[in-house]
Amino acid sequence: MSETSKQPSVAISYAATLSRYLPRMLDSRSWLAERLAVSLDRPLDAEAMQAFMAASGLDEARLRGTLRNLRTWVMCHLIVRDLNGMADLAEVTETMTVLAEVTIRAAHDVLREALVQRYGAPVSQSGWEQELLVVGMGKLGGRELNVSSDIDLIFIYPEDGETGGAKVISNFEFFERLGKQLIQALAEITEHGQVFRVDMRLRPNGDSGPLVCSFDMLENYFITQGREWERYAWIKARVLAGERFEELEKIARPFIFRKYLDFGAINAMRDLHAQIRREVARRDRANNIKLGPGGIREIEFIAQVFQIIRGGRETQLQIRPTLKVLARLGERGFLAPEAVAELGEAYEFLRRLEHRLQYLDDAQTHDLPGNDEDRARIAQAMGFPDFAALLEVLDRYRTMVSRHFERVFGDPAEEGHTLDSMWASAGDAGQAEATLAKLGYRDPPAAARRLAAIRTGNRYQQLPNHIRSRLDALIPRVVEAAASTSGADETLGRCLDLLESISRRGAYLALLQQYPQALRRVADLMNASRWAAQFLIRHPILLDELLDARLLQTAPDWPELRRQIAEAVDAVEPDMERQMDLMREQHHALVFRLLMQDIAGMLTVEKLADHLSALADLMVDLSIPTIWRKIKIRHRDEPKFAVIAYGKLGGKELGYASDLDLVYLHDDDAPEAPEVYTRLGQRLNTWLSSQTAAGIMFETDLRLRPNGESGMLVCSLDSFRKYQLESAWVWEHQALTRARFAAGDAALGEAFERIRCEVLRQPRDLDKLRADVLEMRHKMRDAHSGKSELFDLKHDFGGLIDVEFLVQYLVLGHAHQYPELTGNLGNIALLRIAGELGLIPAGLAGRCGDSYRMFRHLQHRQRLNDQPSRVQPLEVAFARESVCRLWQLVFGED
């Protein structure tokens, strides 16, 4: 027979052998056994509890008795169901949470009404009626209340003012009286017992602070006095009574969750945990399953520290229940799946054990019992043959939790470093030289001078002590990490540049201090690319990207990334400044991931350009509807607006620092359309190219639009077609060969592509076309002619631009006969097609395609090291010769 099929009397009798509290209640309350018998087959919900109160009476005289009898029924109901295997942990904690909510609201409503009858309703100075917001903290706020828990409450009211009755008191006095009466109604011990012990110490200033405070008082407290541990407490804060909870959340959220990554929180949490550990040791409470080593609190700390660190940016982490937070951390990759599974399993075991300890006498205890009789009861209640078997499993879980806790909170700098003395004496550069030489530095005196300059510099001397200590722990490790790279001297210099740029940003120093693997990756990055080093120094927020190796090894899932970014942008609507920063942060993070994959050799230049182009398309496309919503005078829900990409973005050859050549089109006959879409185009350009606190997203160039800088910012589709067919210069048609729809209205994009093909397929006089193309090329060469003996990969004869001009000439000259040439396939593919069509020798076409690929690789190499796109002529002599031969063959000039 299964546990759930037991007769009520059997189930009650069995539970009574494992709980002294249950038989005491049955003996003292004649009504209880019958009520349990008819309710045990199902969980209790708010409706059942409210029906119980309604039947018992809820006026002021009967309030205390009714609430206490309700609590007795609910508690005994849970004991029987839980100990007979009829209720899981989720039911137990949810039922207790609902009991707290129902009793608090019932008491609040009855007591408030009595106060209003005496003093009148409290109103603000502007005449709006005010309410008391009862905020549940801790496990009550997280909907995970245990069965004998006290409840942590905070009382808040919105605005000061006075009551409107015959006897006037201030709103503060009104709500203070209501708060005191509410506490008494719940916590006072009567002949029926009590409902909940109430703990108000989490309110601003604790026991020394006022019992209630207004929104203004609370906000001022957060800004001027709020402490680190209070941020953790407020993570779980939840309004149980009161309608103006959204206003309260707006006040609390910036205090709890910082906009930046707050890695300094690890140290604060570590200190808080150390205090708890010392208190546990002082009271000899190592067997406390909540506060002791590997206990419930350590699991909660692991969940909460990630929320504090990342919750400001990862709004998905702004949730309360511990198990849901752990699951979300696993989904986001911040905890390994096995860690989430082990911590979740341990949490459930510890919480079930917690309840069985409390079922004994309805006492708020977390200590394992000391006598054999109670140990046997607890073992049986947990399904073990004896206490030793229970203890064996409990110790395994606690060891598991402690291991994960140390991984998150362990201090890598605790044991010091072998180079600490070298850094401590770095003010004397000569003493450090010998150590640096042993480490393999090529120029020890220069490295020693740099370290000495930092150690003796004003910036270092003026740092706050807690930040200077982090820097002191980091620099020896940076010296060691840089020494292990192939270019130790350059790597050290770049790493020190980074540390100096973030020296006042304790959170970033804490990240590198806490995660040695991130520091190792920073050194590798600094060694690999000067451009990458500068990118990280400009955007140190990207240090976070170095923590999850999976992000650096996984190809971008653009549809999923689009969904995530759109969700994040929509979540902060209508905060335009935050949206712009958020999109920049996301863009920089994704560029950085691609950069790390590029440096690791995981991407070809072509594949990298595809990804960077897809990222640009995504960002532009997400920007359009976000901006459109902010245009107050708009005549339609969805704009008939498209962004056309030219140049490198159009050809999907975008590089890390490439600007975007864009043309804006609309297809809308509404009279107001030109004005509205011009405003959209202006705002889009500002949105993409403005410098904000998070940096810049893209430099944009709009000069390729019809009539250039003197033309309309946004062109109608019809006028674009007319211009291209009747007025455009040859060079504009050359540019059109690489143009494509990038973002906006897809139907408009298709219409653009039809016009593009129509223009490119016009029959042209080849001699005139050749002359026009050559004239333009000669102008460009004259403008970029240099005296360098090095070969300019882009501008010199036989380089990248020559290949592009060759392809553009072949497309414009022959697309009317061979429509396949109009495809936006890239220069290498179009050279191959031209060869297959017999327009140029196929073999030479293939070699020119190889040359183009080689030039792009060399150009990319130079840019990664922040070098001009010039190389030794001998390095590219063969590749250049193929391009020059094709140029002579097509254009008849050397």
Side-chain angles (χ1 to χ4, degrees), residues 403-417:
R403 185 178 73 251
H404 288 298
F405 185 86
E406 288 303 319
R407 284 179 183 171
V408 174
F409 288 97
D411 186 355
E414 190 173 20
E415 297 179 1
H417 193 274

Side-chain angles (χ1 to χ4, degrees), residues 232-274:
Y232 298 107
W234 273 84
I235 286 177
K236 291 185 181 292
R238 180 170 60 90
V239 174
L240 309 177
E243 299 299 320
R244 295 175 67 173
F245 58 89
E246 290 184 354
E247 295 173 68
L248 178 59
E249 287 176 354
K250 286 181 180 178
I251 294 171
R253 192 175 292 115
F255 170 67
I256 306 167
F257 302 110
R258 305 293 195 245
K259 284 185 178 180
Y260 52 83
L261 290 166
D262 190 8
F263 281 94
I266 291 180
N267 288 338
M269 185 74 94
R270 190 186 287 127
D271 292 343
L272 179 60
H273 179 260

Side-chain angles (χ1 to χ4, degrees), residues 86-152:
M86 302 160 67
D88 58 12
L89 175 63
E91 179 187 324
V92 175
T93 56
E94 175 64 13
T95 301
M96 288 304 301
T97 299
V98 170
L99 173 65
E101 292 172 342
V102 166
T103 53
I104 287 170
R105 288 170 186 158
H108 168 275
D109 292 349
V110 170
L111 297 170
R112 177 189 166 93
E113 181 59 30
L115 285 172
V116 168
Q117 291 294 326
R118 185 174 182 183
Y119 300 108
V123 294
S124 67
Q125 292 178 354
S126 57
W128 289 93
E129 186 169 335
Q130 300 297 293
E131 62 182 357
L132 181 69
L133 282 79
V134 181
V135 182
M137 308 291 283
K139 288 186 169 61
L140 173 57
R143 306 200 71 86
E144 45 197 10
L145 202 61
N146 61 58
V147 292
S148 295
S149 180
D150 56 8
I151 55 175
D152 296 291

Side-chain angles (χ1 to χ4, degrees), residues 700-711:
T700 58
D701 190 336
L702 308 180
R703 291 174 296 176
L704 288 177
R705 66 185 185 268
N707 293 308
E709 291 181 290
S710 63

Side-chain angles (χ1 to χ4, degrees), residues 678-693:
T678 296
R679 189 174 298 119
L680 174 59
Q682 290 169 337
R683 293 190 181 183
L684 176 59
N685 204 50
T686 300
W687 186 277
L688 297 174
S689 61
S690 291
Q691 181 83 29
T692 74

